[in-house]
Amino acid sequence: MPDVDRTPHDAPSDIDRNLIDELVSFYNGALQLINCSALFEEKFKAVFETHPTIWGAYPELLVPYGKSAVESVLAVGFPRSVDIASAPSGSVRTLLIFRTESGLGVIETREGTALSETHVSADSERALLFHQARHDALTGLPNRRHFSDQLQTSLQLLGSGRLALIQIDLDEFKPVNDTLGHAAGDMVLKMTADRIQSALRQGEVAYRLAGDEFVVLQCCDDQPAKAERLAESLVSALREPFVIDGINVFVGASIGIAIAPNDGHDGEQLMKAADIALYAAKNDGRGRARTFNRSMLVMLEQREMLRRSLRVALQEKQFFIEYQPLVELSRGIVGFEALLRWHHPYAGVIPPALFIPMAEADGLMGKIGEWVLEQACREATTWPPHLIVAVNLSPVEFLRNGLTDRIAGILDAVGLPADRLELEITESVLLERTTDNLDVLNTLEVLGIRIALDDFGTHYSSLTYLKNFPFDTIKIDKYFIKDIQTNRKCQIIVQFIIELAHGLGMFVTAEGVENAGEASWLERKKCDRLQGFLLGAPMPAEAIRDFLRQSSFALQA
């Protein structure tokens, strides 16, 4: 008989006390006996001297149905009841198989007798409650509590092996909830769990931590190679569309990998390393996996330094604005777009794509946005009176209460007519609080302010927005313009947008125009405005007057 405790530590204490005189046994992940009740030890003593596994005690489970039930409980965690026949009597016994922290537990009715229906029901209920406390109700995967316990146990038992923590985060899950509803989001999470489970092999366990965050623990010696292979297969599996009510939904996933003990000796260190690797995967463009290395930590520390610096950048006057011309080929320069820049005292000029998301996340974009708007409008008052100024409005600014009053107050303070201001918003602004957002847009229109829909074609491009609000301008993203001379699909898309906008009485601006061939193609298709390095690079405010005087695109009054 193997040396096992008589008190099963892997099961809840109430099951232990109530069933200590029943046939109760517990097994590890390899299905070897690790604990049992006294009655079980007495009955199966001879068997376990030679074959101390679940199959030794219950060879009847070796049939396909029995093996399937055991594998199902191990993989999914839901308890299963299995009837087996005793040889040679043929009497039927019932096994309640349930998941424990380290493997499986089995409760058996005594041969020749039967537990009362109430007793069996109570046992099943206790096992089910234990399962529910440690598993996610939506996906059936082990939950954060189970993960934390298992991670700690795995690190303690690691020895000379390697443990991979593979953190998975869905890239575009929030828009699914926003556009299709939470029921659709739940379906995506369930299907995500199924795809993750399908990619796993023995020794790999998936958990759902919260929301769209999943994690896999993988223990083997060939690390990080094996974890990276699994991560790539998961990225590929989650890249395929989810079909929700006949609609193809593309979500994708980014993955961060950390390996113990190299990247951490405890759960907190390992989770931090995986988080950093996950951030690197998202920062590299999403839809990919990255394995933690020390250079990532240096980059994160630099990022945190920038984040701290950003909090004082406005008051120390480190921000400045550059202006890029907007050109109508038939008339010339019609205005300038204001582009925010940050000159860090030590790091130099920081790209907007890096610091603007930081400012939005940290709640700083409201004050920064107000400064940009006031500065740009004030500068525009020094230009010829027929030129407009275009200012980007971030989603964070748009959702702040009192937006229209702030904008009207700035226009009054600097003395710029409302029809010389064009506010550029992206489609992401319209994903939340749709009714309120449309009210804001309508109020701005009443004030006489122009509204442009920026980056059209790169997000959701819902025609609902164009139907519900009469934008003054649609801006075509440079993604479609850079291949406009050679890519037939880009040509069709751009021509469609131009014709659609004109049919709705809107202007069209093409961004990212860099050569004469692109400009010529767009002119033939009657695109109204062009913007890009061919027409003029972003410039400081003090250079605008000379640019207007020297430019061949200067507006002829």
Side-chain angles (χ1 to χ4, degrees):
M1 180 70 187
D3 184 16
V4 296
D5 296 333
R6 291 182 181 268
T7 303
H9 299 296
D10 291 57
S13 58
D14 57 343
I15 293 180
D16 302 348
R17 292 192 301 271
N18 291 332
L19 300 177
I20 199 67
D21 293 328
E22 303 294 345
L23 293 168
V24 183
S25 52
F26 296 90
Y27 306 84
N28 61 19
L31 301 180
Q32 297 170 324
L33 180 72
I34 56 174
N35 221 332
C36 64
S37 63
L39 186 64
F40 186 93
E41 179 180 351
E42 180 182 349
K43 178 178 179 180
F44 290 95
K45 183 174 183 179
V47 173
F48 281 101
E49 286 177 352
T50 58
H51 196 39
T53 68
I54 193 172
W55 314 117
Y58 302 109
E60 299 89 349
L61 291 175
L62 286 168
V63 299
Y65 172 78
K67 291 183 70 175
S68 174
V70 170
E71 291 169 356
S72 172
V73 175
L74 279 172
V76 181
F78 290 113
R80 295 280 297 273
S81 291
V82 180
D83 291 333
I84 60 174
S86 300
S89 65
S91 61
V92 175
R93 295 176 289 162
T94 299
L95 306 180
L96 174 65
I97 307 172
F98 57 95
R99 183 77 173 267
T100 67
E101 291 184 16
S102 57
L104 291 181
V106 179
I107 303 172
E108 177 196 346
T109 62
R110 300 184 189 185
E111 188 172 5
T113 64
L115 292 176
S116 71
E117 184 177 337
T118 302
H119 196 169
V120 172
S121 176
D123 298 340
S124 300
E125 183 177 352
R126 282 192 291 270
L128 183 58
L129 289 173
F130 179 58
H131 170 272
Q132 290 173 339
R134 304 181 63 79
H135 288 74
D136 173 51
L138 179 65
T139 64
L141 294 179
N143 60 16
R144 181 183 288 275
R145 176 184 174 188
H146 197 162
F147 163 73
S148 298
D149 292 344
Q150 190 58 50
L151 177 59
Q152 182 178 358
T153 300
S154 299
L155 289 170
Q156 291 172 348
L157 300 176
L158 192 57
S160 60
R162 296 288 183 270
L163 176 69
L165 192 159
I166 303 170
Q167 190 166 345
I168 307 161
D169 193 69
L170 300 184
D171 290 331
E172 297 291 340
F173 178 69
K174 185 176 182 296
V176 175
N177 277 337
D178 291 339
T179 57
L180 299 179
H182 289 282
D186 287 348
M187 291 179 67
V188 168
L189 292 174
K190 289 178 183 178
M191 289 187 280
T192 295
D194 291 341
R195 291 189 189 183
I196 293 173
Q197 287 277 64
S198 298
L200 302 186
R201 300 294 179 263
Q202 183 150 0
E204 301 167 348
V205 182
Y207 306 81
R208 182 189 177 203
L209 301 188
D212 60 340
E213 300 174 36
F214 298 83
V215 71
V216 172
L217 291 181
Q218 179 195 64
C219 190
C220 70
D221 293 330
D222 185 18
Q223 295 293 14
K226 192 168 183 180
E228 289 170 348
R229 286 195 294 271
L230 174 58
E232 288 302 326
S233 67
L234 290 170
V235 168
S236 296
L238 296 172
R239 188 179 291 128
E240 295 300 314
F242 296 93
V243 181
I244 308 294
D245 294 331
I247 301 172
N248 283 344
V249 176
F250 294 87
V251 176
S254 298
I255 294 179
I257 303 169
I259 308 296
N262 304 47
D263 302 331
H265 292 84
D266 61 42
E268 185 175 349
Q269 290 176 337
L270 205 59
M271 281 295 290
K272 180 180 179 182
D275 277 337
I276 293 171
L278 177 62
Y279 170 78
K282 288 184 174 290
N283 198 46
D284 287 347
R286 302 188 175 194
R288 63 199 68 215
R290 290 291 180 266
T291 303
F292 174 79
N293 60 61
R294 298 297 166 185
S295 64
M296 291 178 181
L297 187 57
V298 173
M299 291 179 62
L300 185 65
E301 290 171 347
Q302 291 174 341
R303 179 180 173 84
E304 289 307 306
M305 179 272 291
L306 288 179
R307 188 184 295 276
R308 291 191 295 271
S309 300
L310 188 58
R311 293 189 171 275
V312 298
L314 186 59
Q315 66 188 57
E316 295 187 2
K317 300 181 179 179
Q318 296 172 7
F319 291 119
F320 65 99
I321 301 175
E322 291 187 327
Y323 297 88
Q324 187 169 33
L326 301 166
V327 175
E328 289 184 17
L329 292 179
S330 62
R331 300 176 60 219
I333 298 170
V334 295
F336 292 85
E337 180 180 357
L339 302 170
L340 177 63
R341 303 288 187 255
W342 177 23
H343 190 279
H344 189 277
Y346 305 113
V349 177
I350 309 298
L354 179 60
F355 74 81
I356 287 179
M358 285 186 191
E360 291 177 336
D362 290 354
L364 303 175
M365 204 60 217
K367 289 294 184 183
I368 295 173
E370 285 184 40
W371 177 85
V372 172
L373 182 62
E374 181 174 351
Q375 188 74 8
C377 289
R378 193 177 300 281
E379 185 62 39
T381 61
T382 68
W383 305 342
H386 45 263
L387 297 183
I388 67 169
V389 60
V391 180
N392 290 278
L393 203 60
S394 81
V396 173
E397 293 175 85
F398 194 90
L399 295 174
R400 288 178 66 205
N401 292 327
L403 173 67
T404 55
D405 291 339
R406 287 193 299 274
I407 294 174
I410 288 173
L411 291 175
D412 289 342
V414 304
L416 183 73
D419 61 359
R420 291 187 59 195
L421 172 62
E422 182 169 88
L423 295 175
E424 297 187 5
I425 66 170
T426 61
E427 292 166 282
S428 57
V429 165
L430 304 175
L431 288 178
E432 298 180 24
R433 292 168 40 189
T434 304
T435 303
D436 291 345
N437 292 347
L438 290 175
D439 287 343
V440 170
L441 291 175
N442 285 316
T443 302
L444 293 172
E445 182 189 31
V446 169
L447 292 173
I449 296 167
R450 304 166 185 252
I451 307 294
L453 184 58
D454 199 9
D455 299 336
F456 188 81
T458 58
H459 297 287
Y460 299 94
S461 304
S462 173
L463 300 183
T464 304
Y465 308 144
L466 303 184
K467 174 179 178 291
N468 290 335
F469 182 79
F471 293 94
D472 295 281
T473 303
I474 292 178
K475 300 192 74 173
I476 305 174
D477 191 77
K478 61 185 178 181
Y479 172 81
F480 298 104
I481 304 303
K482 66 180 180 179
D483 297 323
I484 197 70
Q485 294 175 268
T486 58
N487 189 307
R488 178 62 177 160
K489 292 181 179 179
C490 285
Q491 293 174 353
I492 293 172
I493 291 171
V494 171
Q495 185 169 352
F496 165 76
I497 295 174
I498 293 172
E499 293 176 357
L500 173 67
H502 287 169
L504 294 172
M506 303 174 188
F507 286 97
V508 180
T509 299
E511 299 179 296
V513 180
E514 297 187 356
N515 60 63
E518 294 169 350
S520 177
W521 190 95
L522 289 163
E523 184 179 19
R524 289 197 305 273
K525 301 302 178 183
K526 299 186 174 8
C527 183
D528 302 294
R529 294 178 188 166
L530 307 183
Q531 181 181 355
F533 281 88
L534 174 69
L535 296 314
M539 65 193 75
E542 54 269 22
I544 289 178
R545 190 170 296 278
D546 287 341
F547 178 80
L548 288 172
R549 187 166 52 249
Q550 299 171 10
S551 174
S552 61
F553 295 109
L555 180 65
Q556 303 299 318

